[in-house]
Amino acid sequence: MAEARKFVFVSPDYGSSITENGCCGSGCCDFEAVVLSGNAKDLTNAVKQRYGALAERAGKRGLEASENKASDKFYSDSQCSIIPDEAAGASTGSGNPLAYADVVAGETILDLGSGGGIDCLLLSSSVGDSGRVIGVDMTPRMVSLARDNARKLELANVVFKRGHIEQIPQDETSVDLVISNGVISQSEWKHMVFSEMFRVLKPGGRFVISDLVTDELLPDSIRDSTGQWVEGVGGAAVRSAYLRMIESAGFVDVEIVDERPGPNGTEEWRHLVKSLTIKASK
């Protein structure tokens, strides 16, 4: 049996002090600082290193047809034609939540795990000048890359913050829509992520997320593999438990709107991994 991962979480005191840079004061934005034991820091650092390195080579990766980019797999040619190569090259999602988002002009949208900013950049024109798109990512180099991409396109209604999806640097009841693409499966605290999503959404708000789940529990060797966690597979929750976490957070009208096979591979357990796109409302 794998050793149980233990942690202690200290809830932050949110308020008007949250800034555009994602700081909510008193050190609460450093999520690692409240993880007091277990290997959570190792996992967090591994994810940062992997996606930091990806950000460094995103431009080159965006130009390579042989690379397994989410932009090639899930996004239309018209969508890909809008974004810089660096945004396409940084894309690693498990679906396309934008296809089911039904965005309305003037909305405020929050993207959790925004990476190089692909979804935020595409949403900019949908929300219009009266709307706002906010990306949150914990990897500094990804946040820098996303900001550079937004500047290239001269998008005034898109901002990026550094922060953790378990402790979102955003005021409560402040957004109309939350999206996320292939990121929640990398968190050990998925229930916190859904609770935070519920907190920041306005009454009647909604989320559309794409993420990896499993039909049954994966082997211990996969769930204990840092490499598989970084890829989003090791931490993928069993489908039934994942949906229960969403409902326990308070969401209603939970609906699976798309289902696909998970990442390719020859391992026997691969058929258990699925990519779901899910909608729900507050």
Side-chain angles (χ1 to χ4, degrees), residues 185-186 190 212-214 218 223 229 232-238 273:
S185 61
Q186 296 175 328
K190 296 173 183 61
L212 297 179
V213 301
T214 63
L218 294 178
R223 293 186 291 115
W229 269 84
V233 173
V238 174
V273 184

Side-chain angles (χ1 to χ4, degrees), residues 51 92-95 180-186 209-212 231-232:
Y51 289 96
T92 60
S94 57
S180 185
N181 195 350
V183 174
I184 298 174
S185 61
Q186 296 175 328
I209 58 175
S210 295
D211 205 18
L212 297 179
E231 295 299 325

Side-chain angles (χ1 to χ4, degrees), residues 201-252:
L201 279 168
K202 299 175 183 178
R206 66 206 188 279
F207 75 66
V208 184
I209 58 175
S210 295
D211 205 18
L212 297 179
V213 301
T214 63
D215 290 332
E216 60 185 66
L217 205 61
L218 294 178
D220 287 350
S221 60
I222 305 306
R223 293 186 291 115
D224 292 339
S225 166
T226 300
Q228 293 295 348
W229 269 84
V230 168
E231 295 299 325
V233 173
V238 174
R239 179 197 304 245
S240 57
Y242 194 95
L243 296 175
R244 282 198 302 271
M245 282 187 279
I246 292 173
E247 294 174 343
S248 295
F251 289 102
V252 297

Side-chain angles (χ1 to χ4, degrees), residues 84-87 145-155:
D85 293 329
E86 291 81 0
L145 175 64
R147 288 171 176 167
D148 288 343
N149 288 332
R151 279 192 288 267
K152 288 177 184 177
L153 297 179
E154 300 181 341
L155 303 179

Side-chain angles (χ1 to χ4, degrees), residues 80-96:
C80 291
S81 68
I82 297 172
I83 59 175
D85 293 329
E86 291 81 0
S91 63
T92 60
S94 57
N96 184 354

